[in-house]
Amino acid sequence: MNSTIPLSPSETFPLPRTEPIAIHRVLDLFEKGSPELFGELSEQLDFRIDHYRDETDVAWQVASGLAEMAGVLQRLAQDVFPKGTHILALASQALGQGWFLTRFEQRFFYPVRNCECESITYILSHEDNGKLDFFRETVTTIEERR
């Protein structure tokens, strides 16, 4: 796409969950707990999860490349999503040149709080040649559902 041509409203928002962009494929495979997720990631992946106003240590939620990502995903499965996750809503906005802003809602059992929780996050991502190579997630809320 020519970077000097602005995206039309129909190209930008919302791109539904069924739109086969890299971030949607990755999140769908994450929900399924599928190792096929690694096939959607670039060798040069730059990955980080941040939390807004949360005291939880998330310094380990950072990866550069696939080897580090394997460790992050393993720890996420053990410490954050031991019972998996369920996507409640997922839609993205195309920002142009492979960039996307995604609003992601999920429900999961959160061992830190020992209960079911729902969260809303925003993800800035980039894809190159169909592979996710940049991922910045900001977890904005984690609400208990008792």
Side-chain angles (χ1 to χ4, degrees), residues 14-141:
L15 298 174
R17 181 178 182 176
T18 54
E19 189 71 27
I21 59 176
I23 187 63
H24 291 184
R25 295 190 312 270
V26 165
L27 292 172
D28 283 340
L29 291 167
F30 181 74
E31 179 184 42
K32 293 174 185 172
S34 174
E36 293 176 19
L37 178 148
F38 284 95
E40 302 295 336
L41 304 177
S42 168
E43 292 282 338
Q44 293 78 36
L45 178 66
D46 182 348
F47 177 95
R48 187 174 75 223
I49 300 174
D50 294 314
H51 289 240
Y52 175 73
R53 293 189 179 173
D54 190 356
E55 298 89 36
T56 305
D57 174 21
V58 295
W60 57 271
Q61 297 178 355
V62 175
S64 295
L66 296 181
E68 288 182 11
M69 189 62 192
V72 170
L73 284 174
Q74 182 178 22
R75 189 157 175 199
L76 282 171
Q78 294 171 350
D79 296 355
V80 181
F81 302 105
K83 296 181 181 181
T85 190
H86 175 70
I87 296 174
L88 302 173
L90 175 63
S92 296
Q93 177 178 356
L95 302 175
Q97 298 179 325
W99 291 96
F100 296 90
L101 179 61
T102 300
R103 186 176 192 277
F104 173 50
E105 297 179 41
Q106 63 184 329
R107 180 180 297 132
F108 58 99
F109 176 81
Y110 192 28
V112 171
R113 297 189 183 176
N114 197 33
C115 66
E116 287 286 317
C117 291
E118 291 181 3
S119 72
I120 298 173
T121 72
Y122 293 92
I123 302 167
L124 179 64
S125 66
H126 184 266
E127 64 179 70
D128 186 38
N129 293 319
K131 303 257 185 178
L132 192 72
D133 66 355
F134 184 89
F135 180 103
R136 288 294 182 278
E137 178 176 0
T138 301
V139 178
T140 60
T141 63

